[in-house]
Amino acid sequence: MSRLDLIDPESRTPLDALLGMLPGGFNAIPDIVQRRATVQGMMAALDVPDNPNVTKEDRTVPGPDGEPDIMLRIYRPVGASGTLPGIYYIHGGGMILGDVDGEDANATMICDQVGAVVVSVEYRLAPEHPHPAPVEDCYAGLVWTAKNAADLGIDPGRLAIYGASAGGGLTIGTALLARDRGGPALTFMMPIYPMIDDRNETPSSHEITDVGIWDRAGNIEAWAWYLGGKDPDQYAAPTRAEDLSGLPPAFIDVGTVDLFRDEDIAFAQRLMQAGIPTELHVNPGSYHASETFAAEAALSRRIWARRIDALKRALA
């Protein structure tokens, strides 16, 4: 049986359409520049109307010491007064793709539905900028956000960090840096199907070879580019962290047809064993980022409803 047969039928329809246009999926494009342009073009083609309930502002802020400045996009609910909870948002893309624009719709939706200030970070990508550049950019943006909480209208006692896929791995890596450097206090972290294990040894990392959305070959390639020939540390591959104590309460979800399934379940178990309050959801029939590709599917609506509810509860 192909793993494709295990996908929720409603969620599979847009996947089949994507693979019809691009056989093999995005990773079938070997040149990373062309691959990025293809992804950006497909995202730009989506007709996402502006949300009148949210304002957006881009700011350039200091990056890591001795490194370039970074851009942050700040989302705020229209008409909100006083201080609001804050959500620091890290986009996905396997450490090699993606940008703030590509996840603008999700960041806007979270801002609107949670009633929070969302700060989305534009970090450098591999292979041009391997580890630790991406996680250091994310950490620098988090530090700036916390230092400027008053100006941003954020309650520093209600600051969460969110990211999916590579953004999920960077969410955990950034939280580890904040813990180890005595950095900003985080109320909550939401790493969504996080990319956290460079070893590609789990059963699910061997199962997912032909789905077309982040299959085994593409993951191996992305890790090689991200690590740049260096040995991984816990901030690059959080499964390698020996001590998970002191991290914020967590929410993790992943699909049964996602290459990251087993590493994410194991990591959630380790968080619980370390005494970290952790909510874990494994979504039957969901492939990697299916809630984005099949946004109208009932499964996708359930996935998003749980995330929004968890963010509201954590930041109440």
Side-chain angles (χ1 to χ4, degrees):
M1 175 189 290
S2 167
R3 289 296 182 258
L4 288 166
D5 296 328
L6 300 176
I7 292 174
D8 167 61
E10 195 179 8
S11 300
R12 182 169 171 175
T13 300
L15 175 63
D16 288 342
L18 170 67
L19 296 180
M21 292 187 295
L22 195 63
F26 297 120
N27 287 329
I29 303 171
D31 181 74
I32 187 59
V33 175
Q34 184 182 353
R35 196 185 306 175
R36 288 172 183 158
T38 301
V39 172
Q40 289 172 339
M42 286 188 168
M43 297 303 295
L46 297 176
D47 185 19
V48 180
D50 285 336
N51 187 328
N53 300 322
V54 174
T55 62
K56 294 182 282 190
E57 173 195 2
D58 291 350
R59 291 199 196 182
T60 300
V61 307
D65 288 344
E67 299 294 340
D69 291 346
I70 55 177
M71 188 274 279
L72 301 177
R73 181 165 295 169
I74 301 160
Y75 303 80
R76 186 174 179 85
V78 169
S81 59
T83 56
L84 300 174
I87 299 172
Y88 188 71
Y89 188 110
I90 305 176
H91 72 75
M95 311 293 182
I96 60 175
L97 302 165
D99 54 22
V100 165
D101 286 341
E103 298 202 21
D104 188 75
N106 284 346
T108 299
M109 181 267 291
I110 289 173
C111 171
D112 185 20
Q113 295 197 16
V114 179
V117 176
V118 174
V119 179
S120 184
V121 58
E122 193 80 274
Y123 56 88
R124 290 171 290 172
L125 299 174
E128 297 90 342
H129 303 284
H131 178 72
V135 73
E136 290 289 358
D137 283 357
C138 292
Y139 181 70
L142 176 67
V143 169
W144 183 90
T145 298
K147 286 183 176 178
N148 292 274
D151 175 54
L152 297 171
I154 291 174
D155 176 357
R158 292 188 293 160
L159 179 59
I161 183 168
Y162 173 101
S165 193
L170 289 166
T171 288
I172 300 168
T174 302
L176 285 165
L177 282 175
R179 180 197 69 179
D180 296 344
R181 294 177 179 176
L186 293 167
T187 303
F188 188 62
M189 67 176 180
M190 186 174 277
I192 299 301
Y193 36 77
M195 176 182 175
I196 52 178
D197 191 348
D198 63 290
R199 293 166 291 197
N200 293 285
E201 294 174 349
T202 66
S204 62
S205 75
H206 286 275
E207 290 170 17
I208 308 303
T209 60
D210 64 348
V211 171
I213 302 295
W214 214 255
D215 294 330
R216 177 176 177 82
N219 194 54
I220 292 171
E221 174 191 64
W223 272 111
W225 279 345
Y226 182 47
L227 296 176
K230 298 178 182 176
D231 291 334
D233 59 20
Q234 64 179 350
Y235 309 114
T239 52
R240 293 183 177 272
E242 295 182 2
D243 178 14
L244 299 181
S245 64
L247 288 173
F251 175 107
I252 295 174
D253 72 28
V254 66
T256 54
V257 198
D258 191 324
L259 179 147
F260 298 141
R261 181 194 69 212
D262 295 340
E263 64 197 64
D264 293 350
I265 293 171
F267 192 80
Q269 290 176 315
R270 289 189 57 211
L271 285 171
M272 296 176 209
Q273 290 158 5
I276 307 302
T278 301
E279 184 172 349
L280 170 67
H281 292 276
V282 182
N283 299 302
S286 177
Y287 54 89
H288 193 70
S290 66
E291 81 286 0
T292 295
F293 286 98
E296 299 305 315
L299 173 60
S300 301
R301 292 196 295 270
R302 291 195 300 272
I303 288 170
W304 273 117
R306 280 197 296 266
R307 292 179 192 169
I308 296 299
D309 175 67
L311 286 166
K312 286 180 174 179
R313 286 186 282 112
L315 296 171

